[in-house]
Amino acid sequence: MTPLDARLDAAADAPNIRAEVAAILRDQHDAAREKIAARLTNGLPGVEVARQYAAVADDLLTALWRFTTEVLYPSPNPTEAERLALLAVGGYGRGVLAPHSDLDILFLRPWKTTARSESVSEFILYVLWDLGLKIGASVRSVEETLSLAWKDMTVRTALLEARPLAGDTVLASTFIARFRREVSTLDPRPFIAAKLEERDQ
């Protein structure tokens, strides 16, 4: 267990758990970003800075996920319906973040929502909002996500670079493999045309 994990676990006894968790994560997150900003000032290349910002966001989200799913809402043997994964999508999925970019994330579940999956996603999102982060978040089932991807080019683009962050790795990797397999069968010309039009706008 890391020192951050230990601090978060102790917050489970706080009168206001969410506020305490947010305060702990804010200290950690701000300190890490300040170090990266100093490296940029000292000449670290911009692309490497963007990678380090993404890594700091990964650390924040995985620590928050562990606390939420193992301490606040534990389920040592989740039912099939309770499986839940957290994915990074869009530019964040690519593993790069500009200093003030949105964190684009997807809470992925197999089917319809359950009480636990709703509680987990809500707590995590509220903490991220408490931190003042710009979040682009969606909470969807596998079928909902795929259906929307075929209708919405922006969603499809964001999913092209999806990567698992936390949670059910089998659910996440199976979804990503299926999405990539199905998207590869589509005619790429409408996609390219839409991206060129988006760029022009």
Side-chain angles (χ1 to χ4, degrees):
M1 178 180 290
T2 68
L4 175 59
D5 288 339
R7 291 181 65 198
L8 288 173
D9 287 3
D13 296 323
N16 187 332
I17 296 174
R18 199 178 94 201
E20 185 67 19
V21 167
I24 292 167
L25 291 175
R26 182 179 291 107
D27 289 346
Q28 184 88 5
H29 190 248
D30 289 352
R33 285 175 62 91
E34 285 172 12
K35 288 179 183 176
I36 297 170
R39 292 175 194 146
L40 176 62
T41 302
N42 291 326
L44 187 68
V47 172
E48 182 56 31
V49 167
R51 290 193 186 104
Q52 291 189 16
Y53 276 128
V56 166
D58 287 358
D59 292 344
L60 173 91
L61 285 165
T62 54
L64 179 55
W65 179 275
R66 187 206 63 82
F67 173 76
T68 307
T69 60
E70 295 180 17
V71 178
L72 278 190
Y73 304 105
S75 182
N77 297 298
T79 66
E80 187 69 16
E82 287 179 325
R83 296 167 65 202
L84 190 64
L86 182 65
L87 284 72
V89 297
Y92 179 39
R94 194 163 55 246
V96 291
L97 275 180
H100 301 290
S101 288
D102 291 4
L103 279 180
D104 292 323
I105 54 176
L106 166 64
F107 294 87
L108 185 71
R109 60 182 192 271
W111 309 303
K112 64 182 181 179
T113 191
T114 65
R116 179 176 181 266
S117 62
E118 188 172 350
S119 296
V120 167
S121 58
E122 281 187 357
F123 183 83
I124 289 173
L125 287 173
Y126 276 120
V127 170
L128 295 175
W129 290 327
D130 289 344
L131 291 172
L133 300 175
K134 292 187 287 185
I135 306 298
S138 53
V139 185
R140 300 190 192 108
S141 71
V142 169
E143 295 303 328
E144 286 170 344
T145 306
L146 290 172
S147 176
L148 192 56
W150 308 144
K151 297 173 188 172
D152 187 320
M153 203 68 75
T154 302
V155 173
R156 192 183 309 174
T157 304
L159 290 172
L160 284 171
E161 298 177 294
R163 65 183 170 94
L165 279 174
D168 192 310
T169 55
V170 173
L171 175 65
S173 59
T174 301
F175 164 76
I176 290 171
R178 179 180 167 189
F179 169 78
R180 290 178 179 166
R181 183 174 62 251
E182 293 183 13
V183 82
S184 69
T185 67
L186 301 176
D187 181 352
R189 288 171 294 185
F191 177 82
I192 294 168
K195 291 297 106 181
L196 291 173
E197 182 181 353
E198 186 179 284
R199 180 202 63 184
D200 291 343
Q201 290 175 354

